[in-house]
Amino acid sequence: YVAGKDCELIYAAPLNYPYGLGGGFWWYHWDGMVDRGIDGKWYTTRFYRQVQELATAIGPPPDSLGAFLPLAVAPEEPAAEPRVRSKYADAAQRGLHWLLASGVFDIATGAVRGAFDRVSVRYAPSDLSSTAQALQVFVKAYGRLRDAGCLHAARRAAEFLAGRQYSGRDRSGAGSLTEPGRHRAETLANARAVEALLDFYFATGEEKYFEVSERAAEWLLGVMQNPDGSFQAAYDMKAKSFVDGARDDWQHCRAFAHARLAGTLFKVWEAVKETEPRYREAALRVLEWARTLQNFNGSFKGH
């Protein structure tokens, strides 16, 4: 069985493990699996549609198992109408092609550059955040398209992130992921990288990337989180000190950044089978601190 928050993740799950018996769905809530109609009754249309799409994605089952997948829709409900490819899917496909072919993603190193300037014909430097976000795109694209090129791109990006893990003498930096060409680790960039590596781990089951993400998460908890639940912006190994983040706009987006950090910690908590409550507790402390930044009208201080 493969656990995930949504059905999209199951498409990329390695259901063809040696000696594997198959795969299954798991939702947090019943209403995530079935639809509730306007009449208030529960319908299983969505569930059967997802089962059908999964069966199509992984190919037909062996003849000996055919009896276990007899249903495309619930017996008491009409079959769902076939999906029509939308303009948004076409736009996503074109964007994915550009991302893979433009040079913004360097397949040789696995790094993703932040942007491409058409006027100066120059690429922005590669960074953890851009690579992490592209990795998540590659994982989702592979899950939907089952394209080997997307999986290869995802693995190269995951290898790049894993290769940025600090292993020097400074114990305060141990486990963190450092920015290319710099002696520092940024909190938000590490959080994004942890999320992306966990997505790749969920999709492939490759333990190496879970271990990298867990070490980075340990660094976030053990070094970067303050007693009040908030986080330091970054740590500089060369100066052996914390960075205030003023030059990186951390102070102006701290509510957003801390909310993202909480999401990362919750994902780590999910990845460790919920056996490490300290990740959940740390995430709740972050959220409680972020609430102190909320104004009376609902907005947050800063941006």
Side-chain angles (χ1 to χ4, degrees), residues 24 43 71 77 111 149-150 198 208 243 250 286 288 291 294 303:
Y43 294 91
L71 296 176
E77 299 174 15
C150 292
L198 286 176
K208 167 186 173 181
V243 179
W250 170 269
V286 180
E288 285 302 310
R291 287 203 315 132
Q294 191 170 31
H303 287 324

Side-chain angles (χ1 to χ4, degrees), residues 76-275:
E76 70 278 6
E77 299 174 15
E81 294 182 3
R83 292 185 178 180
V84 179
R85 187 176 178 86
S86 74
K87 58 185 178 182
Y88 304 111
D90 290 334
Q93 187 80 6
R94 290 168 52 218
L96 178 65
H97 174 75
W98 177 85
L99 185 61
L100 290 170
S102 65
V104 167
F105 170 64
D106 185 356
I107 191 68
T109 64
V112 176
R113 303 172 175 103
F116 174 70
D117 190 321
R118 290 186 293 180
V119 177
S120 63
V121 196
R122 292 180 179 178
Y123 293 102
S126 59
D127 63 85
L128 290 183
S129 288
S130 297
T131 304
Q133 292 178 76
L135 171 55
Q136 290 181 302
V137 170
F138 295 151
V139 169
K140 180 166 284 190
Y142 172 68
R144 289 185 177 278
L145 304 174
R146 311 304 293 179
D147 181 82
C150 292
L151 179 60
H152 180 61
R155 179 167 284 107
R156 295 297 294 141
E159 288 172 356
F160 170 79
L161 293 177
R164 299 306 310 166
Q165 192 149 58
Y166 179 76
S167 58
R169 296 181 178 180
D170 189 344
R171 297 181 63 182
S172 294
S176 65
L177 304 175
T178 59
E179 290 290 346
R182 306 176 74 180
H183 299 281
R184 70 185 239 172
E186 298 177 357
T187 299
L188 185 56
N190 269 258
R192 285 171 164 161
V194 167
E195 286 192 25
L197 287 167
L198 286 176
D199 283 347
F200 187 74
Y201 163 69
F202 289 148
T204 64
E206 297 181 28
E207 292 282 343
K208 167 186 173 181
Y209 301 101
F210 167 71
E211 293 169 0
V212 171
S213 64
E214 189 175 30
R215 285 195 292 270
E218 284 291 322
W219 173 77
L220 288 171
L221 250 62
V223 177
M224 303 306 288
Q225 189 170 31
N226 298 314
D228 63 0
S230 65
F231 278 79
Q232 299 281 353
Y235 180 77
D236 191 308
M237 286 77 166
K238 193 172 183 178
K240 297 186 183 304
S241 63
F242 293 108
V243 179
D244 62 13
R247 295 182 181 178
D248 303 318
D249 209 25
W250 170 269
Q251 297 299 329
H252 295 287
C253 66
R254 58 192 187 279
F256 154 77
H258 284 78
R260 284 297 304 268
L261 286 162
T264 296
L265 294 174
F266 278 127
K267 181 170 280 191
V268 177
W269 178 56
E270 176 190 346
V272 295
K273 307 292 190 299
E274 303 179 5
T275 58

